[in-house]
């Protein structure tokens, strides 16, 4: 197969070809490394490339498979890791100059599980500094650029993860999501991104931002690939205090059950106060597709929904400031000034405000869960807007002048604060050929159902198969 053919395949497609010995892991590695060499100078998806490691790991995987020791769908598959996952012997910068030379002596749980599945890391991916931004700006390492239009944001903070998958530099990447940092780059770059239930994937060995809101999740071409990633990554880990017990399951088992008979709720409040018309149009068409597949779409009221984002912001900023306090005091001048101010603002939030925000957050979560007692899933656009220009600070949406950061994060943050599983799937393009995302949200531990609905949508649409012309 040609390089373009190989780098255009999903994980599931690559796995079938590797298992059937139609293509070798070494051929796969070479194809993706050549793709990175060709396009990454324009995109800046990678902070650290691991070409030699990838070649050695692919050769080892090939030897194992030829000896009859096939481990499963990730055996011989290259994976990109957001550069806050610890990788033993490989620097982990967290997008910051402070950690530019930090080389972990142990692997993160994610790296461990991927290696056990037979996968290998092809490189450490771009991110906004310490994951504290929803754009793709990073003044230390330069911006990650959207492959659909390199003057546009890729979204953040898992910027390189979205770019690498969309551009064919990696078949799958693993990111983190505290306010939307998996789903936003997925939506803006036109790929599929899953924020699982809080605690479903271990955060051991992940540079923290907010211990009560950080999630780990995959970015991939399809919901099927995201389900394969959950199979490899989900599971209780005592090293992460937030890690949850969940039934052992195959997240791909029920993917083909479709959405017939499911009730999908569209929130009446808050979401629609600030959505671009093209995004609203693509969402309405996506919902119509789900209805045509047998789902019942209903409007639901979620009282107080507008309160969860301010509450979540107080919690996140307070926790982030606590985590970074000593480094801010000692090395404040080495932070990006914008990110530094965001951290420092958390130092002035009183304990009473933090506790009040946690109570409000809990109350809003109950309201969302009450709505999910009446429906199986919730549906929203992923972001209010399509990708803005990289250096664009403000945008006008529905006559309201807001920061671009607010515009891309305001919907996703709801479900990060609530800890609920949520997937973003491509559902259209603007007139300027910029991707638009559909977000589907479920009850705690209903990750399989969320992916089932996204997969059903992707079986009858082709938005997720579109590729940027690089």
């Amino acid at each position: 197969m040609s390089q373009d053919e190989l780098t255009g395949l999903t994980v599931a497609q690559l796995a079938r070809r590797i298992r059937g010995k139609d293509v070798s892991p070494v051929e796969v590695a070479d194809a993706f490394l050549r793709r990175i060499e060709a396009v990454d100078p324009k995109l800046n998806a990678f902070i650290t490339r691991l070409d030699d490691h990838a070649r050695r790991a692919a050769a080892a995987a090939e030897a194992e498979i030829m000896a009859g020791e096939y481990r499963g769908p990730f055996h011989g598959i290259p994976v990109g890791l957001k550069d806050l996952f610890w990788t033993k012997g490989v620097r982990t910068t967290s997008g910051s100059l402070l950690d530019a030379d930090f080389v972990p002596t142990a692997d993160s749980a994610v790296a461990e599980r991927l290696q056990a599945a037979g996968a290998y890391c092809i490189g450490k991916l771009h991110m906004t500094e310490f994951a504290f931004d929803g754009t793709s700006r990073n003044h230390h390492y330069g911006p990650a650029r959207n492959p659909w239009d390199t003057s546009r944001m890729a979204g953040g903070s898992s910027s390189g993860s979205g770019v690498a998958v969309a551009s064919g530099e990696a078949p799958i990447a693993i990111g983190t999501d505290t306010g939307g940092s998996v789903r936003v780059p997925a939506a803006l770059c036109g790929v599929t991104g899953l924020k699982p239930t809080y605690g479903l994937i271990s955060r051991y060995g992940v540079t923290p931002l907010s211990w009560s809101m950080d999630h780990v999740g995959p970015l991939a071409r399809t919901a099927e690939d995201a389900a394969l990633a959950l199979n490899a990554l989900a599971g209780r880990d005592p090293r992460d205090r937030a890690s949850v017990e969940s039934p052992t399951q195959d997240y791909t088992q029920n993917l083909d059950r479709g959405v017939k008979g499911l009730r999908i709720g569209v929130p009446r409040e808050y979401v629609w106060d600030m959505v671009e018309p093209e995004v609203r149009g693509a969402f309405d068409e996506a919902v119509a597709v789900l209805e045509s597949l047998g789902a019942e779409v209903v409007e639901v009221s979620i009282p107080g929904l507008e309160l969860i984002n301010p509450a979540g912001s107080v919690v996140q900023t307070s926790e982030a400031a606590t985590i970074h306090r000593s480094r801010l005091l000692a090395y404040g001048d080495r932070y990006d000034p914008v990110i530094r101010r965001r951290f420092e603002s958390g130092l002035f939030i009183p304990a009473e405000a933090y506790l009040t925000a946690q109570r409000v957050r809990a109350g809003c979560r109950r309201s969302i869960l009450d709505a999910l007692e009446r429906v199986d899933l919730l549906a929203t656009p992923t972001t209010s807007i399509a990708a803005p220009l990289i250096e664009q600070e403000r945008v006008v949406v529905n006559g309201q002048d807001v920061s671009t950061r607010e515009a891309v994060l305001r919907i996703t943050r709801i479900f990060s604060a609530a800890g609920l599983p949520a997937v973003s799937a491509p559902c259209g393009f603007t007139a300027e050929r910029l991707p638009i995302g559909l977000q589907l949200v479920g009850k705690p531990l209903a990750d399989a159902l969320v992916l089932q609905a996204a997969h059903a949508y992707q079986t009858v649409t082709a938005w997720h198969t579109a590729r940027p012309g690089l």
Side-chain angles (χ1 to χ4, degrees):
M1 297 182 72
S2 70
Q3 173 188 315
D4 286 346
E5 289 173 322
L6 279 176
T7 58
L9 296 178
T10 67
V11 171
Q13 290 166 337
L14 283 168
R16 284 194 290 271
R17 284 162 175 77
I18 289 173
R19 186 176 189 180
K21 299 184 176 62
D22 299 318
V23 65
S24 75
V26 170
E27 290 176 291
V28 171
D30 285 344
F32 280 101
L33 291 172
R34 289 196 301 270
R35 179 67 173 173
I36 293 167
E37 187 70 27
V39 305
D40 205 59
K42 295 181 284 188
L43 300 176
N44 197 29
F46 287 80
I47 290 178
T48 301
R49 287 174 53 177
L50 297 174
D51 296 27
D52 291 341
H53 166 76
R55 291 189 178 98
R56 289 193 301 270
E62 183 169 323
E64 290 176 347
I65 292 167
M66 294 303 292
E69 299 171 4
Y70 183 70
R71 301 190 204 177
F74 272 96
H75 205 169
I77 299 292
V79 180
L81 291 179
K82 185 177 181 177
D83 202 21
L84 48 49
F85 290 98
W86 290 10
T87 40
K88 184 178 180 180
V90 176
R91 73 168 182 161
T92 300
T93 72
S94 298
S96 175
L97 291 183
L98 276 81
D99 287 339
D101 299 316
F102 170 55
V103 178
T105 57
D107 278 319
S108 60
V110 163
E112 290 173 348
R113 285 178 177 262
L114 287 170
Q115 290 167 23
Y120 58 89
C121 179
I122 199 169
K124 304 299 290 293
L125 296 171
H126 186 286
M127 57 179 290
T128 51
E129 186 173 25
F130 290 119
F132 210 1
D133 197 13
T135 72
S136 56
R137 293 188 287 257
N138 185 313
H139 295 124
H140 304 309
Y141 297 94
R145 297 183 178 276
N146 195 311
W148 292 94
D149 178 345
T150 55
S151 70
R152 302 279 178 164
M153 286 181 189
S157 61
S158 306
S159 315
S161 301
V163 174
V165 174
S167 63
E169 295 177 272
I172 192 167
I174 312 300
T176 61
D177 189 314
T178 305
S181 293
V182 162
R183 291 157 293 153
V184 169
L188 299 192
C189 293
V191 300
T192 302
L194 173 70
K195 182 196 75 63
T197 299
Y198 178 71
L200 189 63
I201 298 177
S202 172
R203 301 170 304 173
Y204 172 76
V206 176
T207 303
L209 177 64
S210 169
W211 54 77
S212 73
M213 290 174 61
D214 290 344
H215 302 66
V216 171
L219 294 93
R221 297 268 174 79
T222 64
E224 180 184 20
D225 283 1
L228 289 171
L230 269 194
N231 283 348
L233 297 175
R236 176 87 173 97
D237 183 354
R239 297 171 298 182
D240 178 359
R241 292 183 181 180
S243 183
V244 297
E245 293 284 357
S246 60
T248 300
Q249 61 180 302
D250 178 355
Y251 288 92
T252 67
Q253 185 176 359
N254 296 325
L255 280 180
D256 292 325
R257 285 192 174 182
V259 295
K260 187 174 182 180
L262 294 183
R263 284 172 57 85
I264 299 177
V266 176
R268 181 181 301 138
E269 298 89 356
Y270 179 74
V271 171
W272 309 109
D273 297 345
M274 196 185 299
V275 175
E276 283 185 338
E278 286 184 292
V279 173
R280 178 64 191 258
F283 172 79
D284 288 344
E285 290 180 9
V287 165
V289 169
L290 293 170
E291 283 187 300
S292 74
L293 295 173
E296 180 186 0
V297 178
V298 298
E299 195 175 70
V300 293
S301 177
I302 308 178
L305 196 60
E306 72 282 358
L307 299 175
I308 194 168
N309 278 344
S313 181
V314 168
V315 170
Q316 177 183 340
T317 305
S318 299
E319 293 178 353
T322 301
I323 290 166
H324 281 263
R325 185 178 188 278
S326 61
R327 300 184 90 180
L328 285 166
L329 294 175
Y331 308 109
D333 60 335
R334 301 192 67 189
Y335 286 78
D336 178 291
V338 173
I339 303 299
R340 176 184 176 179
R341 285 194 295 273
R342 198 166 292 150
F343 277 119
E344 288 179 336
S345 68
L347 298 175
F348 298 95
I349 296 173
E352 182 181 2
Y354 174 80
L355 293 173
T356 298
Q358 288 284 37
R359 285 195 292 270
V360 171
R361 176 186 174 194
C364 291
R365 184 176 189 271
R366 283 194 296 273
S367 292
I368 297 170
L369 293 177
D370 286 345
L372 283 165
E373 289 300 315
R374 304 190 297 275
V375 296
D376 299 293
L377 298 169
L378 297 173
T380 72
T382 307
T383 59
S384 299
I385 61 173
L389 296 169
I390 289 172
E391 296 301 332
Q392 187 174 349
E393 296 287 350
R394 311 287 299 180
V395 63
V396 176
V397 186
N398 292 1
Q400 301 176 71
D401 184 288
V402 296
S403 71
T404 50
R405 181 171 179 265
E406 170 66 15
V408 298
L409 288 171
R410 69 186 305 271
I411 303 175
T412 56
R413 282 189 307 197
I414 297 168
F415 305 107
S416 294
L420 303 178
V423 67
S424 177
C427 70
F429 288 91
T430 67
E432 294 181 279
R433 195 63 179 166
L434 299 173
I436 298 169
L438 164 70
Q439 181 172 232
L440 297 169
V441 184
K443 301 176 180 71
L445 299 178
D447 303 75
L449 184 63
V450 168
L451 291 169
Q452 176 184 319
H455 178 71
Y457 177 75
Q458 291 180 336
T459 59
V460 296
T461 60
W463 303 115
H464 63 288
T465 67
R467 299 289 178 265
L470 292 168

